[in-house]
Amino acid sequence: MHLSQRITNITGGGSDGWDLFNRARAMIAQGTEVTELTIGEHDIPTHPSILTAMHEAALGGHTGYAAVPGTDQLRETVAARLEAQTGVPTTAANVMITPGGQSALFASHMAVCDDGDVALYIDPYYATYPGTIRGVGAVPRPVAAHAENAFQPRAEDIEAAAVGAASLLINSPNNPTGVVYREDTLTRIGEVCQRHDMWLISDEVYDTQVWEGQHLSPRALPGMAERTLVVGSMSKSFAMTGSRCGWIAGPESAIDHLITLATHTTYGVPGYIQDASVFALTQGSDLEQEIAAPFRRRRVIAQDILARQNTVGLIPSQGAMYLMLDIRASGMTGEAFAGALLDAHHIAVMPGESFGSAAAGHVRVAMTIEDRAFARALATLCTFAESRAHETA
Ligand SMILES: Cc1ncc(COP(=O)(O)O)c(C=O)c1O
């Protein structure tokens, strides 16, 4: 039977970038011990206090259909948080609750792209971006951010790609690079969006994981609130990846249509998950800091280890739970390096190429295992890179 092009073409016919991850998982299934530094998943479960709030909400009867746009309480809580972050007046009418950030990314592109429209995104990118764009019937067009520019995108590169484009998707703090976009970068991106009448979709799911500098939402920039859709999530900031709760914030007219879309797709997010999210978001920053603390600590551990050698380069690690390592001195591609490291030492890292051609010659390390094992794996990775560099010298 025929299946639609829309669904069969989501990966664009190529690899989805997860080959190494799948190989590592297959090794584990066959009983090999593998140190996994691949996916962005905390090594702690959701905080017991959040689970208690969830449990109480469910026992209290909040188990039926929840309002499709989200509960008033959660929409208001998210709105207040975004207003405090950006200074942009924000009410519940500017917010729709979604089943996680990924669904918010899909719905946002659905909202602003017609069939065949060009949608820009920055390369290196989170692995689902091009597929998300194809999934709504639009055409993904990458704009490279370069290692030489510490992976900050340049406005002139976006400008050159922007002619006729409907939207631009950015992500800061960034997965996979760990880079936080500077204010001047975001200001210039905002100017390009205004000049080309493009929507900006700003993926801010790592907004509580900032190690250096400050998170700035481009929605706060002059003239941007009316053309920006912010994607947020409980997944990374509260270790609630399995709860599937996120949001889109933007102009009321866009949110109205997004609610119609949700009525015909997701039909909302479970009420007890939303109640637990309200609880988490109203605990003040201590809980967020506690959840971010392991990554903050491991980033320092990594900086110490990397400072003792000069084969592997660390892209300035300013936020999110990842390190982007430049392994070009080993003489290998990211793919070859990750494959050989997995074979030789049973350490799984993601090849940079999985996140786009701009990250070629790099590997991404997720800081998602216990400190000592993390330090050991990173030290082994450096020694491995050095030995390869000697062999090719
Ligand atoms: C940059 C980025 N955006 C969005 C997501 C989606 O997160 P979720 O759907 O769990 O909110 C992820 C998950 O890894 C991510 O790294």
Side-chain angles (χ1 to χ4, degrees), residues 81 208 237-238 280-292:
R81 177 187 176 90
T208 61
S237 38
F238 293 97
L281 288 165
T282 51
Q283 295 310 295
S285 65
D286 284 1
L287 182 55
E288 289 171 18
Q289 290 305 318
E290 185 182 330
I291 290 157

Side-chain angles (χ1 to χ4, degrees), residues 40 99-103 105 126 129 171 175 203 205-206 232-236 241 244-245 322:
Q102 179 55 45
S103 138
L105 286 166
Y126 171 51
Y129 281 3
N171 168 226
N175 174 14
D203 178 343
V205 304
Y206 293 99
S233 175
M234 299 299 292
S235 287
K236 312 293 177 173
T241 49
R244 312 311 301 138
C245 189
Y322 313 98

Side-chain angles (χ1 to χ4, degrees), residues 185-316:
T185 300
L186 290 169
T187 302
R188 299 195 60 207
I189 287 175
E191 288 164 0
V192 176
C193 287
Q194 291 180 47
R195 256 198 306 282
H196 291 270
D197 198 19
M198 281 192 300
W199 281 91
L200 182 62
I201 300 173
S202 178
D203 178 343
E204 302 180 22
V205 304
Y206 293 99
D207 66 346
T208 61
Q209 297 179 7
V210 178
W211 326 128
E212 250 175 50
Q214 259 196 324
H215 172 66
L216 173 67
S217 172
R219 184 164 174 265
L221 295 170
M224 289 308 289
E226 65 256 36
R227 61 174 65 250
T228 303
L229 296 176
V230 172
V231 169
S233 175
M234 299 299 292
S235 287
K236 312 293 177 173
S237 38
F238 293 97
M240 287 176 69
T241 49
S243 290
R244 312 311 301 138
C245 189
W247 55 82
I248 304 174
E252 208 174 315
S253 55
I255 297 296
D256 282 348
H257 287 291
L258 280 159
I259 292 168
T260 307
L261 175 67
T263 303
H264 296 85
T265 51
T266 61
Y267 215 74
V269 173
Y272 53 92
I273 301 284
Q274 297 194 59
D275 289 351
S277 302
V278 170
F279 169 85
L281 288 165
T282 51
Q283 295 310 295
S285 65
D286 284 1
L287 182 55
E288 289 171 18
Q289 290 305 318
E290 185 182 330
I291 290 157
F295 308 124
R296 187 183 288 281
R297 213 170 50 230
R298 289 169 199 157
R299 166 186 177 259
V300 174
I301 292 173
Q303 284 175 325
D304 285 350
I305 291 170
L306 287 155
R308 285 187 235 127
Q309 53 83 59
N310 49 25
T311 308
V312 178
L314 174 61
I315 300 301

Side-chain angles (χ1 to χ4, degrees), residues 38 65 99 150 228 262 320 338 346 350:
T38 47
Y65 288 125
T228 303
H346 300 169
M350 291 297 286

Side-chain angles (χ1 to χ4, degrees), residues 53-73:
M54 204 180 286
H55 183 73
E56 282 171 1
L59 285 180
H62 213 169
T63 53
Y65 288 125
V68 170
T71 63
D72 290 345
Q73 220 192 345

